Amino acid sequence: MLAAQSILRPRVAFATTSAALSGARSFGARAAARKAGAFWPSWGQVALGGASAACLAALLTNARNPLLLDDAAQVNLKPWEARWNKNMLGWHLKNPNPILVKYLDVLLPPPAKEGEPVGAGGLGYRVLFPLCGKTVDMVWLARQGYRVVGIEGVEQAIVEFASEHSASKTTVKVMMPPEISPDDFTMHAMIPTVKADEGEKMPQPIMLLLGDFFGIGEKEAAALVPFDACLDRGSMVAIKPELRQQYIKTLHHLMAPGGRVLLVTTEHDKFADGSIGPPHEITENDLKKLAEGLFEVKQLERTNHIDMEDTLKRRGATYHYEAAYLLTKKK
């Protein structure tokens, strides 16, 4: 048995054998597992530093409950589900995003003194990935000890991410705070594979919230506990422009005061087929209007991509700039 400390909940003992939990696919089975001395991990215990990686790695997969998404969510997610089903993932990068690598210390500043605690509760930075897909950036950060949470509306994205990066090739269902409806969201956790030949330490668990990002209100955001940092490499530019204001308000709810967002945007003209996205253009002025009263906006760089090996050029764009911004939540 391993003891684990949560900053939200009292100490809880965890079973480290998969046999105790592998069959716990219902509340009844879960109760039986508890009688055997085992406990399902909670959101607080896993995401906030309570459950050890070794404990989580011992758990097996659990059945998912179908989500009851409302009509608006289904309409927004349907085209993205079609893209995933057809493997139309032109935005996906096989390696960590160069902008994240370049500005990591801006997004996640190192402590002023070596060994000084950082992040919520002094347990290290917690990093949010909205509309995360299966980005390898989550694995890259988890292997460096950061506590990563992704939010995704398409289940296939989570399935593929776990298949490609989880030590068990799947995820473990995690109990959520009562403020978050299980009809709207399910939480899953996984331990990334360890590159033993490179001497890597056990990575942090990665948490994946399946559900409609726009269904997260202030109550749900508070229950998830505000985040220290966020990476948006292709989320705001992917959604319809009319959803941006709601998106940035939801992001504001999810971030801690002073929390940092590394945001990557594109600027381009219409494509050859007359469409304007995705990815949709967001200029610096657009962003400042969206963030007014919510975030401070600082442009980190703006690079001309049209003369590079550029996907948007092949789609007919005559100009294409990629820009990176640091958004800091106003206190």
Side-chain angles (χ1 to χ4, degrees):
M1 303 288 286
L2 294 177
Q5 177 66 44
S6 166
I7 66 171
L8 291 186
R9 302 175 188 271
R11 295 181 69 84
V12 180
F14 285 83
T16 58
T17 59
S18 60
L21 290 176
S22 60
R25 297 179 181 271
S26 68
F27 288 104
R30 186 185 305 175
R34 287 197 176 101
K35 289 181 181 179
F39 289 83
W40 277 29
S42 70
W43 159 253
Q45 292 152 358
V46 179
L48 301 177
S52 70
C55 166
L56 184 58
L59 302 178
L60 294 181
T61 185
N62 301 288
R64 294 182 176 89
N65 295 324
L67 299 184
L68 304 178
L69 298 176
D70 61 26
D71 292 342
Q74 291 182 33
V75 168
N76 290 330
L77 291 173
K78 190 172 182 179
W80 294 104
E81 290 174 341
R83 285 173 180 257
W84 279 96
N85 291 335
K86 296 177 182 178
N87 197 34
M88 297 172 60
L89 310 177
W91 65 85
H92 181 68
L93 300 179
K94 294 182 179 180
N95 297 307
N97 187 276
I99 289 180
L100 172 61
V101 176
K102 181 178 180 178
Y103 292 108
L104 181 63
D105 286 349
V106 174
L107 179 64
L108 302 166
K113 298 180 180 179
E114 187 175 352
E116 186 176 66
V118 295
L123 296 173
Y125 289 121
R126 296 176 64 240
V127 187
L128 172 68
F129 283 77
L131 312 184
C132 62
K134 60 174 184 177
T135 175
V136 299
D137 296 334
M138 294 192 289
V139 176
W140 188 70
L141 288 181
R143 285 177 174 158
Q144 296 183 63
Y146 297 107
R147 296 178 292 154
V148 172
V149 178
I151 302 177
E152 174 57 49
V154 179
E155 185 172 13
Q156 183 63 25
I158 292 177
V159 171
E160 291 187 21
F161 180 74
S163 176
E164 294 170 12
H165 300 291
S166 171
S168 65
K169 304 300 182 185
T170 187
T171 62
V172 175
K173 191 172 180 180
V174 177
M175 294 170 60
M176 294 185 298
E179 296 87 350
I180 301 177
S181 170
D183 290 336
D184 299 327
F185 297 95
T186 56
M187 181 68 76
H188 307 269
M190 54 160 275
I191 293 287
T193 53
V194 180
K195 296 181 179 179
D197 57 331
E198 297 181 11
E200 280 193 357
K201 298 179 181 179
M202 180 68 77
Q204 287 283 345
I206 295 176
M207 309 295 293
L208 301 165
L209 183 64
L210 175 62
D212 179 21
F213 180 82
F214 297 102
I216 298 174
E218 292 187 62
K219 178 185 69 173
E220 291 82 5
L224 290 172
V225 181
F227 290 85
D228 306 298
C230 168
L231 176 67
D232 180 338
R233 199 282 297 182
S235 302
M236 189 182 292
V237 297
I239 63 174
K240 298 175 182 177
E242 57 265 30
L243 294 174
R244 288 177 188 166
Q245 196 65 62
Q246 184 182 355
Y247 175 90
I248 203 165
K249 286 182 178 178
T250 300
L251 194 60
H252 183 263
H253 294 327
L254 286 162
M255 301 304 296
R260 298 174 175 86
V261 179
L262 181 58
L263 172 67
V264 182
T265 66
T266 63
E267 301 172 28
H268 62 82
D269 53 353
K270 286 185 177 181
F271 302 131
D273 62 2
S275 66
I276 58 172
H280 297 279
E281 178 180 71
I282 300 177
T283 66
E284 185 174 8
N285 285 338
D286 293 336
L287 186 56
K288 286 182 176 179
K289 290 178 181 178
L290 285 169
E292 187 175 0
L294 303 176
F295 293 93
E296 296 176 359
V297 177
K298 177 182 178 182
Q299 188 179 90
L300 301 175
E301 66 174 59
R302 183 173 180 265
T303 307
N304 188 346
H305 276 231
I306 198 67
D307 293 325
M308 302 180 185
E309 180 60 31
D310 187 67
T311 302
L312 301 195
K313 184 177 182 179
R314 293 195 296 272
R315 292 173 62 183
T318 61
Y319 68 86
H320 175 208
Y321 290 88
E322 183 177 84
Y325 297 89
L326 179 69
L327 277 58
T328 306
K329 181 174 176 176
K330 294 185 176 181
K331 299 181 179 180

